[in-house]
Amino acid sequence: MSRSEQSKGPSQRQLRVGEQVRHALTEILQRGEVRDPILEGSVISVNEVRMSPDLKIATAYVTALGREDMDPVIKALAANAKFIRGRVGPSLRQMKYMPQFRFRADTSFDNFSKIDELLRSPEVARDLDHGEGDENE
């Protein structure tokens, strides 16, 4: 495989392993195994895990439902990353190396709501209504 083909996106292996890591992380967080006051009061959703090409770094994109400020949640997850890594180990025993975890706030839902807000704006609705009238003529 040429270098240009590799730079187009993640490999099938990265995607598969990322999904396995996402499932393992979700189980740990749903069971409440991480004892942290900030995390115990939050419902955390792991939306995506991106693996580095060598599979040694897993970047998890998370959302805490019902929370506006994600910084304390990200800091709490980062502080407990080694504990989480140890708890995820048995679920990922087929991996040669256990990845290091990095946590980032997932902003995709914010982007979706901004796009939805734009599509519902009066200016866009006016343009859409005007466009439908042109097709009938």
Side-chain angles (χ1 to χ4, degrees):
M1 186 180 292
S2 71
R3 190 170 283 260
S4 64
E5 288 176 347
Q6 290 178 349
S7 64
K8 287 183 180 178
S11 68
Q12 282 296 112
R13 185 171 184 220
Q14 284 174 278
L15 294 172
R16 181 177 42 81
V17 172
E19 192 62 19
Q20 289 174 340
V21 171
R22 186 183 73 80
H23 281 285
L25 273 174
T26 300
E27 284 181 24
I28 299 298
L29 294 172
Q30 281 181 348
R31 283 187 266 169
E33 292 184 29
V34 182
R35 299 288 178 215
D36 189 287
I38 294 170
L39 300 177
E40 287 177 357
S42 301
V43 176
I44 299 172
S45 172
V46 182
N47 300 321
E48 181 182 7
V49 174
R50 293 184 188 164
M51 300 300 296
S52 64
D54 63 358
L55 304 179
K56 291 186 179 182
I57 298 174
T59 304
Y61 292 88
V62 298
T63 302
L65 304 176
R67 289 189 74 125
E68 292 294 323
D69 186 17
M70 284 293 297
D71 287 339
V73 174
I74 297 299
K75 287 178 182 175
L77 286 168
N80 290 292
K82 287 186 179 181
F83 174 79
I84 293 170
R85 184 180 185 199
R87 299 301 291 180
V88 168
S91 300
L92 302 173
R93 62 183 164 268
Q94 78 278 8
M95 293 183 67
K96 186 174 183 178
Y97 300 102
M98 189 54 50
Q100 292 180 8
F101 290 105
R102 296 182 181 164
F103 296 95
R104 305 284 183 264
D106 187 11
T107 58
S108 61
F109 290 117
D110 296 337
N111 295 338
F112 293 142
S113 64
K114 288 177 186 175
I115 291 170
D116 189 49
E117 186 179 316
L118 282 172
L119 290 174
R120 294 178 190 275
S121 70
E123 294 84 8
V124 173
R126 181 189 67 226
D127 291 344
L128 289 175
D129 289 340
H130 182 67
E132 289 174 3
D134 290 343
E135 291 175 8
N136 294 333
E137 292 178 5

